[in-house]
C-alpha cells in the first residue's frame, strides 16, 4: 500500500504548500493537486515524490523505517527534570501595569521562600538525576534576595553543565548582586520596552527610576558584554512603538535578539489590558513589518544579525526539529516532567503561566509542592490533553508537524481546553507566523534568504530554502 | 473519480465582480459546483475553510459553494478552494496509512 501523507495550504494565487507528516515540504501549483486527487500523477510527479521521500510504500521497509523515524523526530519527548523556574520572592520594587505575575509590594511579608522552602528546593536539586541543570530565577524581582539565588547556585556545583538566568528589572545593582552576576554561567534577562519614554511610561514611572535602569543596563553590558545580557519588550498591541525606534534602542546596546512580545493576558493585565486576550490583524501586520525591517537592516549591515526571537524559533521548528527547547511550543507538550516552576511558597506548577493563573485566582493549576512532590493525579490529568495529534483541526493543518499545544494558554484566555482549535489565540498566532515564514522561505529575494539562513545558524546562504515541483 | 467531473468541481461556476472604489477592495465572490462524487470532500472542506481562512465567508446550497472575501481576488479564491478540497481528499485517503504509522510507533 502506498500513501502520500501530505497536507496542503494555499500560499499565493499560483502556489500551494504541501507539507509531509515528517515536516518536509515543497511548493507546487494547483494542477499537481488536481493530479494527486485524481490519482493521475505524471512520471515526473511520481519520481519527485518518491525520490524526495514524500511517498510511503508499505513494501519499502527502509523507507518505512525512515518515515517512522521522521515522525518520531517531530514528536517532543520529555527527558529528566533539568530545568527549573524558581521564584525566591514575589516582591518587586516596580509596579508595572501589565505585571503578569501579580507581584507583591516590596514591603509585604510572607512572599519570600521560608527556610523550610529553601531546604525543600535544595533537596530537589540534590535528587535530580540529570547531569545538567538550567535554572531561571523569576519573581517578583529575584535580586531582592541575592542570598537565596546564591544558595541555589552553590548547591548546583555538582552538575556537570550549569546555566543560570536571572530575570531582573535591573533597578538595583549593588556589589552583592554584581558578585552574583560575575558568575560566567549566569545570564541576565531584563525588560526593555523601547526608548526611554516608552520604558518609563510602561514600567519605571519616574525619570529617576528610568535613568537608574538605563544606567544599570549600560553598566552590565559594559562589564560583561552583550552576549551575557538579553532583553525583551512588552508591547501594548493597541499602541505599539515605532519599529525603527524599538530596534534602535536594542541595537544601540548591542542586543540583537528582540522577542516581539505583546502584553500577556495574565496577572494585572487581565483587568488593565483586557484587549490582550487576543491579537488583531493590526498586531500581525505590525509583526510582519517588524520582521521585514529587520531583514532589510541585516542586508544593509552584515556585521551583525538582528532577529525577532519567536519568529526564529518557529523557523527552526520547520527546518531543525529539536534545535530549541522552547517549552511553550512543543508537541506533545508534557507538563511537570522536564521542567517545573517552584513558587515563593514552595508550591509547584507545571508552567510559569500556570503560576500566574493561580495567583490571579483564575484556576489552581498547582501539581504539588516542593516538600511532598508533584508526580500525581493532577499532573496526569493535565497531561491527557497536551498533544495536537488527535485534534481534528490539527489533523488537516499543514503546520501540524511544526506546531504545538498549550493547554495553560487556553485556560488563561478561555477558561477551558476544548475550544475549537482554530478559534484559539494559540492557533491563530501560529497560523499567521507559519504562513508568513513560508512566504518568506519561497520569496525570491537574497536579503530574505540571507536573514533566514542566519536565523537558522547556517554557515552560508543557500540559493533556495524550499523545494519546488510544478 | 471522473477527471472531467473533478475539473468541473474545481472550476468556479460564477465569479463575482472584483472592483475597487476609491482604492478600497469590495467583496469578491466565487461559486464552485458540488456533485455526488466529490460531495463528501467538498462539504468537509466547506466546513473547515472559513476557520482556516478568516477573511473568507462561505455559503452552501444544494449544488454549489460560494466563497466571499474582501481580501482575496477570484483567482485566489479558486486556488484556496482547490487546495481545501484536495486537502480533505488526501486526509481521507491517508487515514489508514497514518493510523498504521502511529500504531507502529507506539509498538
Amino acid at each position: 500500500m502506498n500513501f502520500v501523507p501530505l497536507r496542503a495550504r494555499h500560499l499565493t494565487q499560483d502556489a500551494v504548500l504541501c507539507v509531509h507528516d515528517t515536516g518536509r515540504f515543497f511548493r507546487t501549483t494547483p494542477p499537481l493537486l488536481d493530479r494527486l486527487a485524481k490519482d493521475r500523477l505524471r512520471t515526473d510527479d511520481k519520481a519527485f515524490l518518491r525520490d524526495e521521500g514524500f511517498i510511503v510504500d508499505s513494501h519499502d521497509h527502509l523507507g518505512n523505517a525512515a518515515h517512522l523515524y521522521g515522525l518520531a523526530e517531530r514528536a517532543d519527548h520529555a527527558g529528566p527534570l533539568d530545568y527549573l523556574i524558581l521564584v525566591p520572592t514575589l516582591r518587586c520594587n516596580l509596579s508595572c501595569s501589565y505585571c503578569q505575575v501579580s507581584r507583591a509590594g516590596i514591603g509585604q511579608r510572607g512572599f519570600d521562600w521560608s527556610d523550610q522552602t529553601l531546604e525543600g528546593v535544595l533537596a530537589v536539586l540534590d535528587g535530580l538525576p540529570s547531569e545538567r541543570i538550567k535554572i531561571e530565577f523569576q519573581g517578583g524581582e529575584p535580586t531582592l534576595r541575592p542570598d537565596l539565588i546564591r544558595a541555589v547556585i552553590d548547591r548546583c556545583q555538582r552538575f556537570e553543565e550549569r546555566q543560570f538566568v536571572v530575570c531582573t528589572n535591573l533597578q538595583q545593582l549593588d556589589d552583592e548582586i554584581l558578585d552574583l552576576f560575575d558568575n560566567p554561567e549566569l545570564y541576565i534577562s531584563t525588560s526593555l520596552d523601547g526608548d526611554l519614554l516608552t520604558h518609563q511610561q510602561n514600567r519605571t514611572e519616574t525619570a529617576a527610576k528610568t535613568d537608574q535602569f538605563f544606567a544599570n543596563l549600560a553598566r552590565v553590558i559594559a562589564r560583561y558584554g552583550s552576549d551575557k545580557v538579553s532583553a525583551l519588550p512588552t508591547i501594548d498591541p493597541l499602541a505599539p512603538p515605532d519599529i525603527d525606534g524599538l530596534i534602535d534602542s536594542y541595537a544601540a546596546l548591542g542586543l540583537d535578539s528582540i522577542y516581539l512580545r505583546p502584553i500577556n493576558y495574565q496577572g494585572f493585565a487581565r483587568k488593565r489590558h483586557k484587549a490582550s486576550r487576543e491579537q488583531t490583524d493590526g498586531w500581525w501586520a505590525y509583526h510582519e513589518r517588524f520582521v521585514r525591517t529587520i531583514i532589510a537592516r541585516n542586508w544593509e549591515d552584515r556585521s551583525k544579525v538582528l532577529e525577532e526571537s519567536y519568529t526564529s524559533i518557529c523557523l527552526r521548528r520547520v527546518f531543525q526539529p529539536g534545535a530549541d527547547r522552547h517549552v511553550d511550543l512543543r508537541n506533545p507538550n508534557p507538563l511537570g516532567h522536564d521542567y517545573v516552576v517552584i513558587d515563593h511558597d514552595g508550591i509547584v506548577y507545571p508552567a510559569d503561566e500556570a503560576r500566574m493563573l493561580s495567583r490571579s485566582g483564575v484556576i489552581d493549576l498547582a501539581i504539588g509542592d516542593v516538600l511532598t512532590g508533584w508526580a500525581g493525579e493532577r499532573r496526569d490529568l493535565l497531561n491527557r490533553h497536551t498533544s495536537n495529534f488527535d485534534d481534528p483541526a490539527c489533523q488537516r493543518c499543514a503546520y501540524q508537524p511544526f506546531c504545538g499545544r498549550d493547554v495553560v494558554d487556553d485556560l488563561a484566555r478561555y477558561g477551558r481546553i476544548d475550544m475549537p482549535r482554530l478559534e484559539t489565540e494559540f492557533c491563530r498566532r501560529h497560523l499567521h507566523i507559519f504562513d508568513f515564514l513560508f512566504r518568506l522561505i519561497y520569496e525570491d529575494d537574497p536579503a530574505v534568504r540571507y536573514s533566514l539562513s542566519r536565523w537558522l545558524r547556517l554557515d552560508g546562504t543557500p540559493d533556495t530554502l524550499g523545494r519546488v515541483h510544478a | 473519480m471522473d477527471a472531467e467531473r473533478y475539473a468541473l468541481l474545481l472550476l468556479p461556476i460564477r465569479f463575482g465582480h472584483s472592483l475597487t472604489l476609491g482604492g478600497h477592495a469590495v467583496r469578491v465572490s466565487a461559486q464552485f459546483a458540488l456533485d455526488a462524487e466529490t460531495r463528501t470532500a467538498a462539504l468537509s472542506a466547506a466546513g473547515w475553510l472559513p476557520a482556516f481562512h478568516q477573511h473568507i465567508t462561505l455559503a452552501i446550497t444544494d449544488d454549489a459553494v460560494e466563497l466571499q472575501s474582501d481580501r482575496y481576488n477570484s483567482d485566489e479564491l479558486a486556488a484556496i478552494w482547490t487546495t481545501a478540497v484536495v486537502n480533505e481528499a488526501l486526509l481521507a485517503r491517508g487515514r489508514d496509512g497514518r493510523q498504521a504509522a502511529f500504531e507502529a510507533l507506539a509498538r
Side-chain angles (χ1 to χ4, degrees):
Chain A
M1 178 185 74
N2 287 352
F3 88 104
V4 186
L6 291 175
R7 283 172 277 219
R9 173 85 173 157
H10 166 263
L11 271 182
T12 63
Q13 184 171 310
D14 298 319
V16 178
L17 177 72
C18 289
V19 184
H20 192 263
D21 284 5
T22 59
R24 292 194 305 284
F25 60 89
F26 63 96
R27 190 189 71 189
T28 188
T29 57
L32 173 71
L33 290 191
D34 285 350
R35 297 196 294 272
L36 251 178
K38 295 175 202 176
D39 218 4
R40 294 200 172 186
L41 294 173
R42 300 187 309 224
T43 306
D44 62 318
D45 295 333
K46 290 180 186 175
F48 171 80
L49 293 173
R50 188 179 49 245
D51 293 347
E52 298 291 334
F54 290 113
I55 291 179
V56 181
D57 181 350
S58 59
H59 299 296
D60 175 4
H61 297 298
L62 183 59
N64 239 324
H67 178 64
L68 294 180
Y69 180 85
L71 292 177
E73 198 180 33
R74 284 284 167 189
D76 287 281
H77 310 281
L81 177 59
D82 64 356
Y83 176 20
L84 300 175
I85 294 179
L86 301 180
V87 185
T89 178
L90 192 58
R91 292 180 300 120
C92 189
N93 47 9
L94 285 182
S95 308
C96 309
S97 73
Y98 52 59
C99 179
Q100 59 185 0
V101 304
S102 312
R103 49 96 179 98
I106 190 168
Q108 285 188 269
R109 291 181 173 275
F111 290 96
D112 293 27
W113 280 348
S114 65
D115 290 341
Q116 189 184 37
T117 299
L118 172 61
E119 287 307 312
V121 171
L122 297 180
V124 165
L125 292 172
D126 289 343
L128 292 180
S130 175
E131 291 178 351
R132 65 180 181 189
I133 187 76
K134 176 176 174 180
I135 291 180
E136 199 173 295
F137 294 97
Q138 293 269 11
E141 174 48 50
T143 61
L144 293 176
R145 292 301 304 268
D147 56 316
L148 296 176
I149 297 175
R150 167 83 60 203
V152 167
I153 290 177
D154 287 349
R155 198 59 155 247
C156 289
Q157 294 312 298
R158 71 166 181 91
F159 293 97
E160 288 189 23
E161 287 177 43
R162 300 174 293 270
Q163 189 184 95
F164 308 100
V165 181
V166 175
C167 300
T168 169
N169 59 31
L170 282 178
Q171 285 302 132
Q172 181 176 306
L173 265 191
D174 56 28
D175 289 342
E176 188 178 9
I177 293 171
L178 282 172
D179 191 55
L180 270 178
F181 287 177
D182 283 348
N183 183 334
E185 296 166 336
L186 187 146
Y187 296 83
I188 301 162
S189 175
T190 191
S191 287
L192 172 60
D193 282 6
D195 60 19
L196 195 140
L197 205 58
T198 306
H199 194 85
Q200 180 169 320
Q201 191 175 320
N202 288 354
R203 298 179 60 82
T204 42
E205 297 179 301
T206 68
K209 282 189 176 178
T210 307
D211 290 344
Q212 184 179 34
F213 163 74
F214 278 96
N216 288 343
L217 178 58
R219 189 176 173 194
V220 293
I221 290 175
R223 186 180 177 105
Y224 305 118
S226 57
D227 286 347
K228 189 179 170 87
V229 182
S230 64
L232 57 162
T234 299
I235 295 175
D236 181 353
L238 299 180
D242 173 72
I243 288 175
D244 284 304
L246 179 59
I247 297 172
D248 287 341
S249 62
Y250 274 71
L253 294 165
L255 301 173
D256 297 337
S257 192
I258 307 169
Y259 186 153
L260 209 66
R261 179 179 64 168
I263 291 173
N264 194 358
Y265 187 63
Q266 290 277 10
F268 295 168
R270 295 177 74 88
K271 289 185 179 169
R272 298 175 187 171
H273 298 275
K274 289 181 181 176
S276 63
R277 195 179 94 150
E278 287 170 330
Q279 305 311 326
T280 64
D281 285 352
W283 168 254
W284 293 116
Y286 176 85
H287 171 266
E288 196 163 321
R289 286 197 308 275
F290 185 93
V291 173
R292 288 196 180 276
T293 302
I294 281 183
I295 287 172
R297 286 201 180 202
N298 284 342
W299 188 244
E300 194 179 311
D301 178 2
R302 316 281 173 93
S303 67
K304 59 182 153 193
V305 176
L306 302 171
E307 68 174 6
E308 197 284 310
S309 313
Y310 199 74
T311 306
S312 292
I313 287 170
C314 290
L315 179 68
R316 289 191 289 274
R317 288 281 295 176
V318 173
F319 287 98
Q320 299 161 347
D324 294 300
R325 189 179 163 191
H326 190 75
V327 294
D328 294 337
L329 185 64
R330 305 196 287 184
N331 177 54
N333 192 356
L335 295 171
H337 283 275
D338 57 341
Y339 96 103
V340 294
V341 179
I342 302 178
D343 205 354
H344 68 280
D345 52 7
I347 302 295
V348 176
Y349 296 94
D352 212 18
E353 277 69 22
R355 161 177 80 111
M356 298 169 196
L357 286 174
S358 297
R359 170 83 175 140
S360 297
V362 175
I363 182 171
D364 179 9
L365 291 177
I367 53 175
D369 68 73
V370 74
L371 298 176
T372 61
W374 54 87
E377 192 182 339
R378 289 175 69 86
R379 186 179 73 171
D380 293 344
L381 181 62
L382 281 172
N383 279 298
R384 279 187 212 143
H385 306 283
T386 57
S387 88
N388 68 23
F389 292 123
D390 296 329
D391 189 283
C394 303
Q395 286 175 342
R396 50 196 20 94
C397 180
Y399 303 139
Q400 181 275 329
F402 318 125
C403 202
R405 184 79 171 93
D406 191 339
V407 295
V408 179
D409 190 72
D410 285 354
L411 282 167
R413 296 180 198 275
Y414 312 110
R416 52 192 285 200
I417 64 170
D418 62 344
M419 282 286 287
R421 287 283 88 224
L422 289 153
E423 293 179 22
T424 66
E425 178 62 21
F426 181 90
C427 180
R428 281 196 296 268
R429 176 189 190 194
H430 292 96
L431 266 180
H432 164 85
I433 291 176
F434 286 120
D435 276 348
F436 179 41
L437 276 173
F438 278 99
R439 289 201 305 275
L440 288 176
I441 286 166
Y442 283 106
E443 225 163 272
D444 187 15
D445 183 339
V448 172
R449 273 198 305 279
Y450 175 81
S451 276
L452 294 182
S453 300
R454 303 291 75 73
W455 300 339
L456 287 169
R457 318 293 189 237
L458 301 180
D459 290 336
T461 303
D463 293 333
T464 61
L465 284 162
R467 298 174 193 85
V468 177
H469 180 71
Chain B
M1 184 188 298
D2 180 85
E4 286 72 31
R5 280 170 170 272
Y6 198 88
L8 280 174
L9 161 69
L10 297 174
L11 281 175
I13 57 177
R14 184 161 67 238
F15 281 135
H17 289 293
S18 177
L19 298 172
T20 53
L21 290 175
H24 299 287
V26 297
R27 211 145 177 81
V28 171
S29 68
Q31 283 194 0
F32 305 94
L34 301 175
D35 68 24
E37 277 193 78
T38 59
R39 197 171 186 84
T40 302
L43 287 180
S44 188
W48 286 100
L49 192 147
F52 276 102
H53 295 276
Q54 287 195 313
H55 297 276
I56 296 176
T57 57
L58 186 148
I60 306 172
T61 62
D62 283 343
D63 58 359
V65 167
E66 183 182 43
L67 272 58
Q68 289 194 353
S69 177
D70 54 12
R71 172 175 282 200
Y72 300 105
N73 64 33
S74 49
D75 290 340
E76 286 171 320
L77 288 178
I80 289 170
W81 176 244
T82 300
T83 305
V85 175
V86 175
N87 197 41
E88 289 300 313
L90 288 174
L91 184 70
R93 201 182 290 175
R95 205 154 263 142
D96 290 347
R98 285 194 171 99
Q99 182 68 27
F102 278 104
E103 284 172 1
L105 276 178
R107 285 194 296 271

